[in-house]
């Protein structure tokens, strides 16, 4: 087949005024392309587990500012002091305020994941509306 006799199939596909019957097989190709692009019915997504929040080796920490009520701040400080008294000598360093906040957030996420809308934190938030 010479160059003059060859059809520009891609040109036919992308032209707005295309005549699908003009090129043999073009209609089938077009329907196949559109069948593959057709939106599929949404499958129920597998619920992504939030937990466990595992610390990654070499992961950095981020400095952040959060405003706490004074009694909560005092409670955090008191919890740190009490834990340092209760923990053995080698583990006292793990009772930092940052670690306590990390433990608390992990515990909170675990409860929300396990109990969902029935978790105590959600109930407390809804009570304060």
């Amino acid at each position: 087949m010479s160059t003059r006799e060859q059809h520009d199939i891609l040109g036919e596909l992308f032209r707005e005024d295309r005549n699908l019957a003009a090129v043999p097989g073009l209609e089938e190709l077009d329907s196949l392309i559109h069948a593959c692009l057709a939106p599929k019915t949404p499958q129920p997504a597998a619920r992504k587990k939030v937990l466990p929040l595992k610390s990654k080796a070499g992961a950095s920490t981020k400095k952040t500012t959060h405003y706490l009520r004074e009694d909560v701040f005092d409670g955090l400080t008191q919890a740190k002091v009490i834990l340092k008294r209760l923990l053995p000598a080698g583990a006292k360093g793990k009772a930092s305020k940052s670690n306590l906040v990390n433990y608390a957030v992990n515990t909170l996420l675990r409860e929300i994941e396990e109990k969902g809308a029935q978790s105590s934190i959600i109930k407390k938030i809804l009570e304060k509306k």
Side-chain angles (χ1 to χ4, degrees):
M1 192 180 261
S2 71
T3 311
R4 289 182 182 163
E5 295 174 12
Q6 289 181 348
H7 291 287
D8 180 10
I9 295 174
L10 286 176
E12 292 285 330
L13 280 173
F14 294 114
R15 266 198 352 234
E16 290 294 323
D17 61 336
R18 61 185 178 203
N19 180 4
L20 296 178
V23 178
L26 191 58
E27 189 172 345
E28 290 82 8
L29 179 60
D30 187 63
S31 64
L32 179 62
I33 290 170
H34 286 89
C36 292
L37 295 177
K40 297 177 181 175
T41 56
Q43 298 294 327
R47 190 172 153 213
K48 182 184 174 194
K49 291 229 174 218
V50 175
L51 290 175
L53 292 180
K54 294 181 181 173
S55 55
K56 300 173 187 170
S60 64
T61 58
K62 292 188 177 186
K63 186 172 183 171
T64 181
T65 301
H66 295 279
Y67 295 92
L68 304 174
R69 287 188 336 245
E70 189 172 348
D71 61 325
V72 173
F73 180 80
D74 291 342
L76 183 59
T77 303
Q78 186 177 7
K80 175 186 152 190
V81 170
I82 292 169
L83 284 172
K84 283 193 182 244
R85 269 191 261 142
L86 294 173
L87 292 170
K92 290 184 186 286
K94 294 186 178 189
S96 68
K97 288 181 181 179
S98 294
N99 280 341
L100 294 178
V101 170
N102 290 335
Y103 298 140
V105 169
N106 279 324
T107 303
L108 178 65
L109 288 172
R110 187 174 296 110
E111 180 184 332
I112 291 170
E113 189 167 273
E114 290 171 359
K115 298 181 181 176
Q118 301 305 312
S119 72
S120 60
I121 187 67
I122 292 178
K123 289 178 181 178
K124 281 188 179 194
I125 290 170
L126 292 175
E127 284 175 8
K128 291 186 177 189
K129 271 188 166 179

